[in-house]
């Protein structure tokens, strides 16, 4: 728009006025492109910060679970492994849940369906 205004106020098109209009047009395109790149970079940075925060929270939860729940499950499984009846079954289930929970924390594999059913019952 500035280039068109410049050309119209001069009354005639000279090579320098024409070059000035072209340069202003190119400058506008470059500024627009840089502005778009800035917005895209800001969005990527925001996603990276969110991903890092989620990863840190997952690691914190994994440490808490490891320190509490997994230790209790391992203890129940070790102490009840040699028992018969319901106590032995409880120890076996505790061992299965420990394995399922460890795989869930590490993200290595999905929780087996049988283990997931036991968590809900």
């Amino acid at each position: 728009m500035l280039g068109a205004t410049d050309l119209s106020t001069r009354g005639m098109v000279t090579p320098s006025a024409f070059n000035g209009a072209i340069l202003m047009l190119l400058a506008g395109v470059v500024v627009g492109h840089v502005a778009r790149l800035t917005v895209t970079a800001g969005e990527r940075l925001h996603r990276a910060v969110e991903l890092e925060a989620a990863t840190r929270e997952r690691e914190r939860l994994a440490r808490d679970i490891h320190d509490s729940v997994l230790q209790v499950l391992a203890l129940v499984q070790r102490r009840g492994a040699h028992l018969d009846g319901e106590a032995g079954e409880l120890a076996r289930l505790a061992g299965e849940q420990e394995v399922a929970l460890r795989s869930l924390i590490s993200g290595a594999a999905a929780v087996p369906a049988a283990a997931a059913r036991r968590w809900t019952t």
Side-chain angles (χ1 to χ4, degrees), residues 47-92:
R47 282 193 303 263
V49 167
E50 286 178 347
L51 180 62
E52 182 179 352
T55 301
R56 286 184 185 199
E57 179 65 12
R58 183 179 183 139
E59 289 172 355
R60 184 191 67 79
L61 288 173
R63 283 190 305 272
D64 289 348
I65 289 172
H66 182 266
D67 291 343
S68 58
V69 176
L70 289 175
Q71 296 299 322
V72 170
L73 288 172
L75 179 67
V76 169
Q77 192 263 337
R78 278 194 309 268
R79 288 201 177 165
H82 65 279
L83 300 175
D84 294 329
E86 289 184 17
E89 178 67 13
L90 181 62
R92 186 185 64 74

